Amino acid sequence: MKFKFWLTALLVFIAAATANANNTQPVDLVRPMMGTSNNGCVAPVAAAPFGMVELCPDTFFSASGYIYHHGHIYGFSHTHKSGVGGTDFKDIMFFPLSQPAWTDKAQCPPRVSSRFSHDKEHVEPGYYRVTLLDSNIEAELTATKRCGMHRYSYPAGAPRQLLIDLKHGCEHACTIIPEDDFDTVKLSYIEMVDARSIRGYRISNGWAPEQHVYFYAELSEPVKGYKIYHDRNHQPNAKSAKGCDVRALLSFGQSDNPIVARVGISPVSMEGARRNLKAEIKTFDFDRVRAATRNEWNTTLSAIEIADADTQQKEVFYTCLYFAHLYPQLYSDVTGEYRSSDSKVYRGKFNYYGGVFSPWDTFRTQIPLMNILHPEVTRDLAKTMLEHYRHCGQLPIWLLAGVETMCMIGYNSMPVIADIYSKGVRGFDAEALFEAMKASANRDTFGYFLRDFRGARYYNQYGYVPFDKEITSVSKTLEYCYADWCIAQMARMLGHDEDYATYIERAKRYRNLFDSETKFMRGRDSNGNWRTPFDPFYSNHYQPDDDFCEGTSWQWSFFVPHDIAGLAELYGGEEKFVEKLDSLFLVSSELHGPNPAPDITGRIGQYAHGNEPGHHTLYIYNYIGQPWKAQHRISEILYTLYNTNHYGMCGNDDCGQMSAWYIMSAMGFYPMTHGEGIYCIGTPIFKDVTLHHKKGSLRIVAPKASRENCYVQSVTLNGKPYSRNYLMHDEIFKGNNTLRFEMGNHPNKEWGSAKENRPPSMSDRE
């Protein structure tokens, strides 16, 4: 115990001393308010890396719970999805009050709030502070992985009160099946354990049905009085209440001392929450916990060192690196217990990352980044996916609070698994996961969704998903093709030749939806007829006449990352394909249709950087011998579509995917495909970056890099000329390596353009 105390103190002291010596550290450059306006959907959470707790003020009851331009705070709750849509979470709300009139009221109001100002608000990794203007109470928040900590400083002479609200954020009464998109309380419970402890739980339905959140809170002072409410009515002499609307008001009397609450949460039980609290926060010293979490963040962010002078781009980089480390979200107790999609409790000898996990978003860049920086996390993520399959018969589609939401299309655990395994991460049952990949790729229905949802049987029957059988049929077909290619790569790595032949053939089915007349991917019905009329600018969000998920045919026609060479052949050769790709950025940015998908944001022509399906598109130029065009567009996006203010993201961060795209692209390379360990070379924007990984380091040097000097003139790897426009994982992430770029303000059309210097496509191997 004493050793741990002094070790923590020493680490905090070293962190502070180093900060003073070097002026700024990575943690000092993070701007967590970036993207907190509508598009980014970011919340200024107090959290630890990958933590279960994201403690944050709620200014809004949808999406992340926080929108920058809203002027009231409605409470501080322990669970959030920063950068993600949907209404779930915002569980276990605490709110400090200073209202003597409450003492005599028999009924509490349905909602409390206070005005606040951004001028009296401060946020940094692991810490949030604000002054509530209506009461002049200062609220401070910090967190560990499974626990939150609050410190409330009240005005002198004011009554100190604390409301705990388990109905907060839920708009409906008790129901078993959620109505529309809002959270509903199924059952909640609150209990005064003793004068300094309170516990309870909330079970709710929403985007993810039956979410369990249990808590155990300990207070820095004994309460002098309390009131338990059920359905907003005071329950005299009651120490507990159970129902759909339960709350507690704690009174501490008058004093100059702040009230500190330390709160453990758990998906398993109140006892699990207590154990988490005892393991992670043993003190009421708020500043000590804050400093330890700050130090953890600084250590995490220091995995990538940028030697350049501090600039806004450097701030954007470290902010994105911070956002990317919030997910996948831990969802198991210190005992290893977790709750899975079947609502049962299991115990594992690993960290269960089922709290928030969105493969559709993160397979593209965020998971590949974690495979470089945190293979121990992606190893446990692989175990999480396998356990989820064993309990539910399906690899994850979109996990929230351990529950399968079935949100988004495709079966995108496949590229996640293929990337994890191809990057050399081991310590999980790869053969069992491979069998799960095959089984999940052919499944139509799932659990409580007693209807066809995936369209897999149509995909196998027709070679594509017909639009008269499923909505978003073209997008589903294209994603299934890519997932099949990833299954084939897993089969190749495991030596399953027959399976490889089966799935590599399936991966060619994208050709069935290419219309050679319009030169677009286009919907077909079960009789083989094209969707008529056809408009490549058309989007009608999740409606029967929309063949594309959160996009248009313009964006989705390029989603064949595994076979760019084959796609170019369909267009009539590389020259015509280049013309089409160029036109993506030059045509009108307008959208047609009665209800265009709101996610199609950050448009340059019809390229939409604000949503994930297009994130690979810029790097297609590497495959067709014109990497300088990619370099120009990538630089444009890095400098214009990201900045540190609250409008700093052109689309939802989506579990760190938007952020991870920036991180990888700003360093100068990007994971185009999954299962091969290939990175396309782009354009580095920093002069000197060192990435530390488990097997050594990669230093990326580009002395002349700038917005104007965005074009690669030449590259060397460990001092030797490098002519390929792509890199292999094993050649840069084993040992210590140096990648050097010579940059200029005019394209070098010779570098990386020859066929032998381009990344391989599926068709190149036929």
Side-chain angles (χ1 to χ4, degrees):
M1 293 283 288
K2 289 182 179 179
F3 174 76
K4 289 183 179 179
F5 171 82
W6 288 112
L7 178 61
T8 301
L10 179 62
L11 290 173
V12 173
F13 172 79
I14 292 172
T18 306
N20 291 332
N22 298 337
N23 191 22
T24 56
Q25 293 185 308
V27 73
D28 299 315
L29 296 170
V30 176
R31 305 290 177 258
M33 297 304 286
M34 173 178 162
T36 52
S37 288
N38 289 6
N39 277 348
C41 210
V42 169
V45 298
F50 311 111
M52 188 191 309
V53 167
E54 291 188 4
L55 186 54
C56 179
D58 295 323
T59 70
F60 191 61
F61 287 99
S62 186
S64 68
Y66 185 98
I67 293 181
Y68 185 88
H69 59 265
H70 285 214
H72 283 75
I73 288 175
Y74 296 95
F76 303 99
S77 54
H78 290 76
T79 61
H80 291 84
K81 309 180 303 301
S82 180
V84 184
T87 62
D88 300 56
F89 282 11
K90 298 175 281 293
D91 298 285
I92 321 300
M93 186 274 272
F94 282 36
F95 196 81
L97 297 167
S98 184
Q99 300 180 13
W102 267 52
T103 306
D104 302 321
K105 285 185 176 180
Q107 190 176 67
C108 68
R111 183 174 290 171
V112 296
S113 70
S114 174
R115 294 172 300 117
F116 78 107
S117 168
H118 296 300
D119 293 335
K120 294 188 175 182
E121 184 183 39
H122 173 78
V123 59
E124 62 187 52
Y127 176 72
Y128 175 89
R129 181 181 72 241
V130 70
T131 297
L132 301 176
L133 299 180
D134 292 347
S135 60
N136 203 31
I137 296 172
E138 182 181 73
E140 297 174 273
L141 312 173
T142 191
T144 62
K145 286 196 180 333
R146 300 173 179 86
C147 304
M149 198 169 192
H150 311 241
R151 180 165 66 186
Y152 299 119
S153 299
Y154 298 77
R160 297 173 301 160
Q161 300 166 323
L162 181 61
L163 177 69
I164 302 176
D165 184 349
L166 304 190
K167 180 71 184 292
H168 171 80
C170 291
E171 301 298 322
H172 301 293
C174 286
T175 57
I176 295 177
I177 302 298
E179 298 175 26
D180 34 69
D181 247 352
F182 288 96
D183 240 357
T184 60
V185 178
K186 185 176 180 181
L187 184 65
S188 58
Y189 175 78
I190 200 162
E191 176 192 357
M192 286 298 305
V193 178
D194 54 45
R196 292 182 58 163
S197 305
I198 186 168
R199 65 181 182 177
Y201 59 81
R202 177 162 99 174
I203 304 171
S204 59
N205 288 313
W207 184 20
E210 198 168 314
Q211 304 166 42
H212 291 244
V213 182
Y214 299 83
F215 79 95
Y216 195 98
E218 295 179 342
L219 307 161
S220 57
E221 292 183 23
V223 298
K224 294 189 174 180
Y226 65 88
K227 298 175 78 170
I228 300 292
Y229 297 92
H230 181 267
D231 291 337
R232 293 174 50 207
N233 294 311
H234 176 218
Q235 307 297 302
N237 302 318
K239 289 188 175 183
S240 65
K242 181 183 291 187
C244 294
D245 183 351
V246 300
R247 315 174 198 212
L249 178 67
L250 313 182
S251 299
F252 299 89
Q254 296 178 352
S255 171
D256 292 337
N257 295 328
I259 296 298
V260 177
R262 55 191 189 194
V263 186
I265 71 167
S266 165
V268 172
S269 65
M270 293 183 291
E271 178 59 20
R274 189 189 70 82
R275 289 185 181 132
N276 291 341
L277 179 59
K278 295 298 184 185
E280 293 189 357
I281 302 182
K282 305 177 188 299
T283 178
F284 284 104
D285 186 340
F286 181 94
D287 293 325
R288 178 180 167 191
V289 176
R290 172 191 172 187
T293 301
R294 175 185 169 87
N295 184 69
E296 184 179 2
W297 272 116
N298 198 56
T299 300
T300 299
L301 300 176
S302 296
I304 302 179
E305 295 182 80
I306 301 175
D308 299 37
D310 295 345
T311 61
Q312 185 183 75
Q313 281 66 46
K314 196 171 176 181
E315 292 175 358
V316 171
F317 185 93
Y318 281 113
T319 303
C320 286
L321 191 59
Y322 162 70
F323 288 155
H325 278 87
L326 292 173
Y327 304 104
Q329 190 180 73
L330 180 68
Y331 201 63
S332 55
D333 290 348
V334 292
T335 60
E337 291 179 295
Y338 62 91
R339 189 179 299 273
S340 191
S341 257
D342 58 1
S343 292
K344 296 179 181 178
V345 174
Y346 299 89
R347 186 190 297 268
K349 295 181 179 180
F350 61 97
N351 287 321
Y352 187 81
Y353 286 107
V356 175
F357 173 46
S358 171
W360 190 83
D361 301 294
T362 59
F363 84 79
R364 306 162 202 271
T365 322
Q366 193 265 347
I367 294 298
L369 178 62
M370 293 302 110
N371 280 328
I372 296 168
L373 297 175
H374 297 284
E376 76 285 356
V377 171
T378 57
R379 176 202 64 212
D380 283 359
L381 179 61
K383 293 181 178 181
T384 297
M385 290 189 282
L386 182 57
E387 288 300 290
H388 180 81
Y389 170 77
R390 287 169 172 165
H391 305 153
C392 308
Q394 170 76 51
L395 285 169
I397 302 295
W398 214 116
L399 294 187
L400 180 68
V403 180
E404 181 58 75
T405 69
M406 292 297 284
C407 180
M408 302 314 301
I409 63 170
Y411 32 87
N412 293 298
S413 284
M414 314 311 170
V416 170
I417 295 167
D419 198 70
I420 290 173
Y421 197 76
S422 70
K423 302 295 173 60
V425 181
R426 297 294 185 267
F428 56 89
D429 192 336
E431 290 287 352
L433 261 178
F434 178 62
E435 292 302 316
M437 292 169 80
K438 292 190 293 180
S440 298
N442 293 290
R443 184 164 185 177
D444 271 308
T445 59
F446 180 76
Y448 43 82
F449 292 92
L450 300 177
R451 57 188 174 87
D452 291 342
F453 190 84
R454 317 312 299 169
R457 74 167 180 266
Y458 303 128
Y459 173 71
N460 289 326
Q461 179 180 352
Y462 298 99
Y464 59 92
V465 179
F467 69 73
D468 56 336
K469 302 292 185 181
E470 289 280 342
I471 64 171
T472 64
S473 60
V474 177
S475 297
K476 285 177 180 174
T477 299
L478 296 176
E479 289 212 350
Y480 293 168
C481 289
Y482 184 59
D484 284 341
W485 184 83
C486 291
I487 297 173
Q489 301 317 300
M490 196 69 177
R492 173 184 56 80
M493 290 184 282
L494 293 174
H496 298 300
D497 296 340
E498 188 174 332
D499 286 321
Y500 175 82
T502 296
Y503 285 93
I504 207 70
E505 189 65 29
R506 285 170 50 146
K508 302 174 185 176
R509 292 176 179 174
Y510 70 89
R511 300 170 184 175
N512 296 333
L513 292 185
F514 183 81
D515 177 11
S516 59
E517 182 176 340
T518 64
K519 304 300 183 184
F520 283 99
M521 295 293 175
R522 185 175 176 183
R524 302 180 83 163
D525 66 18
S526 53
N527 293 316
N529 301 312
W530 294 113
R531 165 83 73 180
T532 303
F534 171 70
D535 179 358
F537 295 85
Y538 186 83
S539 173
N540 192 16
H541 195 41
Y542 286 112
Q543 297 304 306
D545 66 340
D546 194 353
D547 298 329
F548 300 93
C549 175
E550 298 185 3
T552 67
S553 184
W554 267 110
Q555 290 117 39
W556 278 97
S557 290
F558 297 99
F559 189 77
V560 189
H562 59 295
D563 197 16
I564 300 303
L567 184 62
E569 288 177 9
L570 294 180
Y571 278 92
E574 283 188 0
E575 185 176 342
K576 292 183 178 179
F577 182 58
V578 169
E579 290 177 4
K580 191 72 171 186
L581 185 57
D582 287 345
S583 67
L584 173 70
F585 303 95
L586 301 174
V587 297
S588 171
S589 293
E590 67 181 75
L591 301 174
H592 302 162
N595 182 35
D599 306 83
I600 312 174
T601 56
R603 294 194 293 278
I604 302 173
Q606 279 292 308
Y607 172 77
H609 190 70
N611 208 23
E612 284 69 27
H615 276 189
H616 72 291
T617 310
L618 297 162
Y619 292 91
I620 289 176
Y621 283 112
N622 287 43
Y623 286 76
I624 52 181
Q626 298 190 12
W628 67 90
K629 290 184 178 178
Q631 294 155 21
H632 168 71
R633 293 294 185 189
I634 293 164
S635 178
E636 178 185 13
I637 289 169
L638 288 170
Y639 281 100
T640 64
L641 293 186
Y642 293 81
N643 61 68
T644 56
N645 68 32
H646 55 95
Y647 287 110
M649 285 196 175
C650 64
N652 290 0
D653 192 37
D654 284 329
C655 298
Q657 168 57 27
M658 283 283 290
S659 291
W661 188 95
Y662 184 95
I663 295 161
M664 297 291 284
S665 295
M667 289 192 294
F669 58 101
Y670 186 81
M672 179 75 167
T673 56
H674 307 79
E676 287 185 313
I678 289 177
Y679 302 96
C680 287
I681 292 177
T683 176
I685 68 170
F686 297 110
K687 293 176 173 57
D688 194 345
V689 175
T690 300
L691 186 158
H692 301 281
H693 54 88
K694 302 300 180 183
K695 297 180 180 179
S697 65
L698 172 65
R699 187 181 180 196
I700 304 161
V701 182
K704 296 181 180 179
S706 67
R707 185 171 182 182
E708 294 74 24
N709 294 335
C710 65
Y711 296 105
V712 175
Q713 305 299 301
S714 63
V715 178
T716 61
L717 179 60
N718 297 327
K720 297 179 180 179
Y722 194 90
S723 57
R724 296 196 319 237
N725 69 34
Y726 68 97
L727 301 159
M728 298 301 298
H729 183 83
D730 286 346
E731 68 186 355
I732 59 173
F733 289 116
K734 282 189 176 178
N736 300 317
N737 297 287
T738 299
L739 190 64
R740 183 181 179 91
F741 290 84
E742 296 301 327
M743 307 297 292
N745 58 9
H746 289 88
N748 178 359
K749 296 183 180 181
E750 298 300 317
W751 180 83
S753 60
K755 283 190 179 292
E756 64 269 22
N757 291 326
R758 307 176 192 177
S761 292
M762 182 177 70
S763 293
D764 296 328
R765 298 184 175 91
E766 291 183 336

